[in-house]
Amino acid sequence: MTMEVFPPAVSDSLLDLDKDAFLTRLLNQLNEICLSKEPSWLEQVRTNATKWVRHSVIPTTRDEEWRFTDLSPLREISFALGSNLGSSQIAMESFMEGLGLPEATHRLVFINGVLTPTLSQTSDLPSGLHVGNLDSLEDSVAQKYLAQFDGTRDVFSDLNTAGLNDVAVVWAGKNVVVEDPIQLLFISLVGEFPTFCQPRCLVIAEGNSQISLIEEHITLNTPSPQNEPMGAGLNNSVTEIWVHENAQVNHSRIVLGGDHSFDIGKTAVTQARYSRYSCNAITIGGKISRHNLELVQTGEQTETNLHGLTVIAQKQLGDTHSAITLNYPYATSKQLHKLIIGDRAHGVFNGKIFVPKSAQLTDASQLNRNLLLSSKARVDTKPQLEITADNVKCAHGATVSQLQDDEIFYLQSRGIGETEARKLLVNAFATEVINLIPLASLREKLLKTVSSLVNN
């Protein structure tokens, strides 16, 4: 006999009815959609996730993991589920204006969470590589991996699972080596009304395989009648990555938020023995952005490299939480996360590395570096190590700095204006992470975007 365990109950005195109403509105809309010929196992997965969401509440600043990220503005907005616009003229024009990456020969494009075949490119795939959506994946494979990741349950990832509709799938079979990066492009179209969408991605790298992924989340505004103000957008994404024995995954996650967008995403990674995983996570803009990165090691001698960059300005908030659990010996884990914060923006970094007694001879390091471009910019940083093993090499740290006057003066003395000098220094700070992106066209676009956010 099995028993479903729900989150701890909340007393009536603490229960915020507005939060319940917010989740209920979203669930009611999600329940109206379902996959065609939905199998019983998937229906059960959605049902279990729905139960969790109904017994949960939106996190508040009273929760330790969310104490610097106030989500109360979400509850003031009545979001509607983003419609399937397919290959509309708006989407086609936006795509042709530079969203496609010329070096990416394989591509999946999702608009408001639904696959758009006319903009995707899945022909001439190497033997053993599957790139498509959930409808094209074998049922047995989907049932084994989808929504089965190890790690903590949270209301947003369960909300995504409760509304499973379309999933981007990349599956590399055993011994398959794919040299060209695979682009997964998720476009959220926001008009005059607030909309939400829930992108989902499933990546499976079988034994001895190698793949490179470019996962992009972009919020675009569609023209509204009479130039009415744009509505808000809520993007709640989940990416599950399974890296099997001796497999290698190079993962780049790019989020380009809109002025009124809320971007909440989770990346859950499972690493088997001898596997190698690299993540280059870059977030630029967005009213509120939150990335939860959870990695669980399931075998010895893994290699993990995490690089992150968050660039925010105005009154934006960018939050990154990571948790790396190393359960086996001989692991190597390196993490560097950078924040560039301008105006009155607020950056948050909280990174945890768990090294239990079973993870002897682990080499793990974690560094958070922050660049404040304004006296009113704020950062809260908390790198953490929890170590019970006694034969390890572990280190962590954080730095906070501003642009130095002597550096700006030096560039000015070489004939460079003050504004351009500031942009050069900021780009130099960001380049360490951006240069890890495998595509030159994307690197160039990101550097231009970072430069445009630097105050004059």
Side-chain angles (χ1 to χ4, degrees):
M1 177 179 178
T2 60
M3 179 178 297
E4 188 73 27
V5 180
F6 297 109
V10 180
S11 65
D12 293 337
S13 61
L14 296 179
L15 185 60
D16 186 335
L17 296 179
D18 287 338
K19 288 182 291 187
D20 269 0
F22 174 79
L23 290 175
T24 299
R25 286 196 303 269
L26 297 186
L27 283 175
N28 288 341
Q29 295 182 60
L30 294 174
N31 287 338
E32 295 177 0
I33 63 171
C34 64
L35 293 171
S36 59
K37 300 180 181 179
E38 183 176 283
S40 59
W41 68 267
L42 183 54
E43 182 180 357
Q44 188 61 49
V45 167
R46 286 166 46 113
T47 299
N48 290 341
T50 300
K51 289 180 181 179
W52 268 83
V53 175
R54 292 196 183 280
H55 288 77
S56 303
V57 292
I58 293 292
T60 71
T61 53
R62 292 172 294 184
D63 299 296
E64 179 63 24
E65 296 298 308
W66 293 84
R67 66 192 185 103
F68 296 118
T69 302
D70 183 10
L71 297 178
S72 58
L74 276 178
R75 303 197 299 272
E76 301 170 0
I77 303 173
S78 296
F79 291 97
L81 186 63
S83 60
N84 176 18
L85 300 181
S87 55
S88 67
Q89 188 63 30
I90 294 173
M92 182 68 75
E93 291 175 355
S94 299
F95 183 80
M96 296 304 293
E97 287 174 1
L99 296 182
L101 303 175
E103 305 97 323
T105 56
H106 312 306
R107 177 176 61 240
L108 290 178
V109 179
F110 286 72
I111 297 179
N112 285 350
V114 180
L115 178 66
T116 306
T118 55
L119 300 181
S120 302
Q121 177 57 262
T122 58
S123 60
D124 300 324
L125 294 175
S127 177
L129 176 65
H130 174 93
V131 179
N133 65 348
L134 190 60
D135 289 339
S136 60
L137 186 64
E138 295 179 11
D139 233 27
S140 59
V141 176
Q143 186 174 359
K144 180 179 179 180
Y145 293 105
L146 188 62
Q148 302 300 317
F149 59 85
D150 293 324
T152 59
R153 300 192 70 160
D154 64 89
V155 63
F156 289 107
S157 59
D158 276 301
L159 182 64
N160 184 292
T161 302
L164 273 175
N165 183 32
D166 213 351
V167 181
V169 178
V170 177
W171 176 22
K174 292 183 178 180
N175 304 312
V176 173
V177 177
V178 183
E179 296 182 357
D180 296 329
I182 302 166
Q183 183 186 16
L184 305 176
L185 178 59
F186 298 93
I187 302 175
S188 300
L189 295 180
V190 179
E192 57 182 310
F193 302 108
T195 60
F196 82 97
C197 66
Q198 302 200 108
R200 186 76 176 224
C201 183
L202 175 63
V203 179
I204 306 166
E206 297 282 3
N208 302 307
S209 64
Q210 296 182 24
I211 55 176
S212 181
L213 304 170
I214 307 292
E215 176 191 351
E216 292 185 88
H217 298 268
I218 300 176
T219 300
L220 298 177
N221 291 332
T222 61
S224 61
Q226 300 177 356
N227 295 321
E228 294 181 9
M230 292 294 103
L234 169 60
N235 304 310
N236 178 34
S237 64
V238 173
T239 298
E240 304 170 75
I241 300 177
W242 299 81
V243 192
H244 286 271
E245 183 174 339
N246 200 36
Q248 177 175 319
V249 174
N250 186 350
H251 177 211
S252 298
R253 181 182 187 271
I254 315 298
V255 177
L256 301 180
D259 292 338
H260 307 287
S261 67
F262 300 83
D263 297 283
I264 299 175
K266 182 168 187 175
T267 302
V269 184
T270 303
Q271 268 193 271
R273 65 176 184 169
Y274 310 139
S275 65
R276 298 168 301 283
Y277 173 74
S278 298
C279 181
N280 310 311
I282 299 177
T283 300
I284 300 178
K287 183 173 183 178
I288 294 179
S289 63
R290 166 76 174 235
H291 183 211
N292 297 309
L293 173 59
E294 294 189 11
L295 186 142
V296 177
Q297 179 200 36
T298 61
E300 69 273 11
Q301 207 164 329
T302 59
E303 181 179 333
T304 307
N305 291 285
L306 307 179
H307 296 86
L309 173 67
T310 300
V311 184
I312 49 178
Q314 302 172 12
K315 294 183 179 181
Q316 298 169 344
L317 185 147
D319 185 351
T320 297
H321 271 60
S322 65
I324 305 171
T325 303
L326 305 174
N327 296 312
Y328 294 84
Y330 305 106
T332 301
S333 175
K334 307 294 182 183
Q335 182 177 20
L336 170 65
H337 190 82
K338 291 186 171 186
L339 289 99
I340 301 175
I341 310 170
D343 302 324
R344 295 174 177 268
H346 182 190
V348 180
F349 173 77
N350 189 322
K352 301 176 183 177
I353 300 180
F354 300 95
V355 188
K357 193 170 184 180
S358 58
Q360 301 292 342
L361 299 171
T362 289
D363 183 357
S365 65
Q366 182 182 75
L367 177 61
N368 173 223
R369 297 181 61 194
N370 305 281
L371 179 62
L372 306 185
L373 304 180
S374 164
S375 60
K376 297 184 183 299
R378 174 186 171 188
V379 63
D380 288 283
T381 176
K382 188 180 180 183
Q384 297 176 257
L385 292 175
E386 185 175 309
I387 306 171
T388 54
D390 53 14
N391 187 9
V392 297
K393 179 183 178 182
C394 296
H396 70 300
T399 64
V400 181
S401 62
Q402 296 178 320
L403 295 178
Q404 301 300 311
D405 291 338
D406 57 346
E407 295 175 342
I408 297 176
F409 176 77
Y410 175 82
L411 293 175
Q412 287 181 294
S413 68
R414 296 301 187 268
I416 300 175
E418 181 179 355
T419 299
E420 289 304 314
R422 289 171 59 86
K423 289 183 178 181
L424 280 175
L425 292 172
V426 171
N427 277 359
F429 185 83
T431 294
E432 184 177 3
V433 176
I434 292 179
N435 274 354
L436 297 173
I437 302 295
L439 300 183
S441 61
L442 183 55
R443 292 196 299 268
E444 182 181 355
K445 181 172 68 173
L446 291 173
L447 283 174
K448 288 182 179 178
T449 305
V450 171
S451 295
S452 67
L453 296 178
V454 178
N455 289 335
N456 295 327

